[in-house]
Amino acid sequence: MNTYLITGGAGFIGANFVKHMRRAYPDSRLIVLDALTYAGNLGTIREDIDGAHCLFVKGDICDRALLTELFDRHPIRYVVNFAAESHVDRSIEDPQLFLTTNILGAQNLLDAARRAWVTGKDGAGYPVWKDGVRFHQVSTDEVYGSLGDAGYFRETTPLDPRSPYSASKTSADLFVKAYFETYRMPVSITRCSNNYGPYHFPEKLIPLIINNILEGKKLPVYGDGSNVRDWLYVEDHCKAIDAVIHRGTPGEVYNVGGHNERTNIDIVRTVIRTVRQLMTERPEYRRALKKRETDAGGQLSVDWIHDGLIAFVKDRLGHDRRYAIDPAKITAELGWTPETDFDTGIVRTVRWYLEHQAWVEDITKGDYMNYYERMYAGREL
């Protein structure tokens, strides 16, 4: 039975990965480590935690003693590191927090795995590693910087981070690569495009727009909305990580993209249209509306859900213009391709949020509202 340490497993992508692994490898053991900061929600994975095949530990990857204890107590074979501060806006507000978690935390995790997995030295003085172990770093396409109107990020693209967040992720990637080169540690890295899907914290674009529509709020769009991102359905991303940790070449980087470039304003308009369409087809979904207006027939109205809700706001500092991923390497070497086209994925995502408002209400309590007010104060919503 393989044992996996999944850090940040109560966050958006981490929680979806936990669910994927429970389905794909029901006889394996998952140890989920999460500090449960504002974007981590134990309720997301509570049904997956059974005490036998899935255990939860509340803790920080910066806690050296805790990591040592986990490796001492469990025969961990794989580490999959999702743990990170991940929002660019927050990194602009508090850069040092991102250095602490994303760089020092990743290095601490690397050292804990190294202490547990090294069994001796070879004739040249290099560490000898336990068979079949793997440290996997989940990274981002933002480490490459910004693209012009043409071209794609490839694994050979020079690293050129533009925000404190992407700089911290770049540094973590380089530490992972350094451990491979210096210690021959069996590592891998994936760099993904923008994820979307269930359990996404509503500070990010798609869930933010859905949540604001339901509350009858304006829909903030940075600048003129022409910034381009490639969108990847989160379940497809989880399958890519699965492929890399089990079949990827140690020391390699794999880009994971969704073949779906869209401007931010197009995404917002698509979400508006999808929410209205689903509520028109399924009137029971209107129960999710916090803004309640009735139509001539006495039903909750959706007539006010339209592009007029959009509010262009002052642009983010250092806002990268375009990201686009070329996933040719992972397709050629591991046979992975995105399975979910955007038209299917966005309907599936919006429907999930309409059907899981209790989860949304639980995760948006407290710090989220304070953060929302700080981020958009003075931006002319």
Side-chain angles (χ1 to χ4, degrees):
M1 178 173 68
N2 288 332
T3 300
Y4 301 77
L5 175 60
I6 302 173
T7 67
F12 167 45
I13 305 176
N16 277 281
F17 185 73
V18 168
K19 293 177 182 298
H20 165 77
M21 294 294 287
R22 293 286 284 130
R23 291 189 298 267
Y25 306 97
D27 293 329
S28 293
R29 169 171 281 195
L30 310 181
I31 301 167
V32 181
L33 175 66
D34 199 292
L36 296 182
T37 58
Y38 74 95
N41 184 1
L42 186 57
T44 303
I45 56 171
R46 183 169 282 116
E47 64 183 14
D48 301 291
I49 301 168
D50 62 4
H53 293 286
C54 187
L55 312 176
F56 177 78
V57 178
K58 183 179 179 181
D60 194 322
I61 60 172
C62 293
D63 187 337
R64 181 174 291 260
L66 173 60
L67 294 182
T68 298
E69 180 184 358
L70 288 176
F71 278 95
D72 286 345
R73 291 178 56 190
H74 303 283
I76 295 167
R77 183 174 178 182
Y78 298 90
V79 174
V80 186
N81 183 30
F82 293 95
E85 294 288 341
S86 65
H87 198 302
V88 174
D89 287 348
R90 287 182 185 261
S91 79
I92 293 170
E93 186 181 48
D94 186 2
Q96 192 170 72
L97 175 63
F98 286 67
L99 271 67
T100 301
T101 300
N102 297 1
I103 302 174
L104 298 180
Q107 188 273 329
N108 193 41
L109 191 58
L110 283 161
D111 259 2
R114 181 165 66 98
R115 291 193 301 271
W117 290 346
V118 170
T119 61
K121 293 183 179 181
D122 66 13
Y126 285 102
V128 175
W129 298 84
K130 288 183 179 179
D131 289 338
V133 295
R134 174 66 64 92
F135 184 102
H136 184 76
Q137 175 73 4
V138 181
S139 189
T140 170
D141 57 0
E142 296 191 40
V143 301
Y144 296 120
S146 184
L147 283 168
D149 293 335
Y152 295 91
F153 293 139
R154 295 181 173 85
E155 289 82 359
T156 55
T157 300
L159 304 180
D160 186 23
R162 306 293 184 89
S163 69
Y165 162 64
S166 58
S168 69
K169 292 295 286 185
T170 302
S171 182
D173 285 8
L174 293 176
F175 265 100
V176 173
K177 291 286 286 184
Y179 272 57
F180 174 74
E181 298 293 342
T182 304
Y183 307 113
R184 296 182 177 173
M185 187 177 194
V187 304
S188 51
I189 299 170
T190 47
R191 294 176 180 147
C192 67
S193 55
N194 279 31
N195 280 218
Y196 71 102
Y199 305 106
H200 205 173
F201 192 73
E203 66 182 359
K204 300 298 180 74
L205 181 61
I206 290 175
L208 171 67
I209 296 305
I210 296 171
N211 201 46
N212 276 23
I213 290 172
L214 299 182
E215 294 184 356
K217 293 180 177 178
K218 289 291 187 179
L219 312 180
V221 177
Y222 284 132
D224 60 3
S226 62
N227 301 76
V228 176
R229 299 294 182 262
D230 173 42
W231 291 88
L232 173 67
Y233 192 65
V234 66
E235 188 174 337
D236 291 341
H237 184 197
C238 293
K239 291 177 180 178
I241 295 170
D242 179 352
V244 171
I245 65 175
H246 293 112
R247 297 185 284 112
T249 302
E252 291 296 307
V253 175
Y254 295 88
N255 283 350
V256 185
H259 291 303
N260 180 66
E261 286 185 61
R262 302 204 180 197
T263 63
N264 287 346
I265 189 61
D266 284 344
I267 292 293
V268 173
R269 288 171 176 154
T270 298
V271 173
I272 293 170
R273 184 170 62 251
T274 304
V275 171
R276 180 164 176 157
Q277 178 182 337
L278 286 173
M279 288 187 171
T280 299
E281 295 172 353
R282 300 274 299 274
E284 63 269 27
Y285 284 154
R286 301 182 195 188
R287 290 194 297 265
L289 291 170
K290 309 300 189 297
K291 178 181 178 180
R292 293 176 169 257
E293 294 181 359
T294 55
D295 57 24
Q299 289 203 29
L300 288 174
S301 174
V302 295
D303 293 341
W304 53 271
I305 301 176
H306 51 66
D307 289 0
L309 293 173
I310 295 171
F312 294 97
V313 301
K314 184 179 179 182
D315 206 357
R316 167 194 288 163
L317 298 176
H319 199 176
D320 291 338
R321 196 65 179 171
R322 175 175 171 259
Y323 303 150
I325 280 276
D326 179 4
K329 178 178 176 178
I330 191 173
T331 298
E333 293 189 11
L334 304 179
W336 176 90
T337 57
E339 301 172 12
T340 310
D341 65 83
F342 188 76
D343 290 340
T344 299
I346 195 62
V347 171
R348 190 179 297 169
T349 299
V350 172
R351 182 180 290 119
W352 186 90
Y353 278 92
L354 296 179
E355 294 175 352
H356 293 82
Q357 279 299 292
W359 181 90
V360 176
E361 290 169 3
D362 181 59
I363 204 169
T364 53
K365 293 175 183 174
D367 182 59
Y368 171 75
M369 291 310 300
N370 296 330
Y371 161 78
Y372 183 88
E373 295 300 328
R374 288 198 309 272
M375 284 301 99
Y376 295 105
R379 290 184 183 266
E380 301 178 1
L381 273 175

